[in-house]
């Protein structure tokens, strides 16, 4: 058996294992719990920012203005992504559905937003729109993480300035949580599943 054939066999077995209902549901529950927790941390982080803490922690005030602005936009987008991801996680959907159900009837929600079903049936449901928006907003932080990873590997990375200490929620943690959310997001898992199950 050749190495590519062995690799394909391992991938095929992994896909079969991960597509078992119990395994798939367990992964969704665990990932959803982490995603929801990240969103709660980010909400607390936003509260601290509103109280006057700096938004970013890695950009030196002596950096060019465009670097400061672009970095701030990337981190703010990632922060919004973390909150959106928490809202579309299993605990988040349950919480939002409970709150919405206490104000609106099921018929009213269905009339305004359509049925809360899979993406293929109703791609414009707020849950799916928020999932896609969360991935798009986290994408710049993902690209920045890859860039900083290459800098680190080449040993040319500069230490972030300590003039804007952010306490626990520094920029690298925001990017790391965003990366986790991208990997386990509904759109990415759906695309990966479709690609792996496609016959070749």
């Amino acid at each position: 058996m050749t190495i590519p054939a062995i690799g394909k066999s391992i991938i095929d077995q992994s896909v079969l294992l991960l597509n078992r209902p119990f395994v798939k549901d367990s992964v969704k529950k665990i990932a959803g719990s982490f995603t929801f927790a990240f969103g709660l941390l980010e909400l607390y982080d936003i509260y601290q920012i509103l109280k006057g803490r700096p938004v970013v922690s890695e950009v030196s005030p002596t950096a060019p203005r465009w670097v400061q602005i672009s970095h701030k936009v990337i981190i703010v987008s990632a922060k919004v992504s973390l909150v959106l991801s928490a809202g579309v996680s299993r605990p988040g959907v349950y919480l939002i559905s409970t709150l919405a159900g206490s104000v609106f009837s099921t018929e009213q929600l269905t009339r305004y937003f359509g049925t809360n079903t899979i993406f293929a049936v109703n791609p414009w449901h707020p849950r799916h729109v928020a999932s896609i928006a969360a991935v798009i907003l986290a994408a710049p932080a993902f690209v920045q993480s890859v860039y900083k990873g290459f800098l680190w590997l080449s040993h040319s990375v500069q230490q972030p300035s300590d003039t804007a200490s952010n306490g626990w929620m520094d920029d690298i943690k925001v990017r790391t949580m965003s990366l986790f959310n991208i990997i386990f997001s509904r759109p990415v898992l759906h695309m990966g599943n479709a690609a792996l199950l496609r016959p070749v």
Side-chain angles (χ1 to χ4, degrees), residues 9-139:
S9 175
I10 291 171
I11 290 173
D12 289 344
Q13 293 302 317
S14 300
V15 169
L16 288 174
L17 173 68
L18 292 172
N19 272 307
R20 289 185 179 166
F22 173 76
V23 175
K24 185 184 280 191
D25 198 54
S26 298
V27 168
K28 286 180 180 178
K29 283 180 181 174
I30 294 168
S33 298
F34 275 107
T35 299
F36 186 69
F38 294 159
L40 293 181
L41 288 170
E42 188 50 55
L43 285 174
Y44 179 74
D45 182 51
I46 291 169
Y47 168 72
Q48 293 295 323
I49 290 169
L50 293 174
K51 285 177 63 177
R53 208 209 56 224
V55 176
V56 297
S57 65
E58 290 183 6
V59 175
S60 168
T62 59
R65 184 82 177 136
W66 71 269
V67 171
Q68 295 183 43
I69 292 172
S70 63
H71 182 71
K72 187 176 282 191
V73 168
I74 288 169
I75 295 302
V76 168
S77 295
K79 289 175 181 292
V80 173
S81 171
L82 289 173
V83 175
L84 285 176
S85 294
V88 297
S89 67
R90 285 195 170 187
V93 168
Y94 175 77
L95 182 63
I96 292 169
S97 298
T98 302
L99 293 173
S102 66
V103 178
F104 304 102
S105 68
T106 304
E107 293 76 20
Q108 287 174 315
L109 292 171
T110 302
R111 182 165 64 250
Y112 289 119
F113 301 117
T115 53
N116 184 6
T117 184
I118 62 172
F119 181 82
V121 175
N122 183 12
W124 296 110
H125 190 276
R127 179 170 57 106
H128 301 306
V129 173
S131 292
I132 294 168
V135 171
I136 291 170
L137 288 169

Side-chain angles (χ1 to χ4, degrees), residues 127-183:
R127 179 170 57 106
H128 301 306
V129 173
S131 292
I132 294 168
V135 171
I136 291 170
L137 288 169
F142 169 75
V143 172
Q144 188 182 48
S145 294
V146 171
Y147 171 71
K148 286 180 176 288
F150 280 124
L151 289 180
W152 181 80
L153 287 174
S154 67
H155 306 290
S156 62
V157 67
Q158 297 178 356
Q159 292 298 318
S161 169
D162 58 2
T163 57
S165 177
N166 262 10
W168 193 85
M169 282 290 278
D170 58 15
D171 295 354
I172 192 165
K173 290 186 179 78
V174 172
R175 286 196 303 270
T176 303
M177 290 187 291
S178 297
L179 176 61
F180 176 90
N181 284 354
I182 283 180
I183 292 169

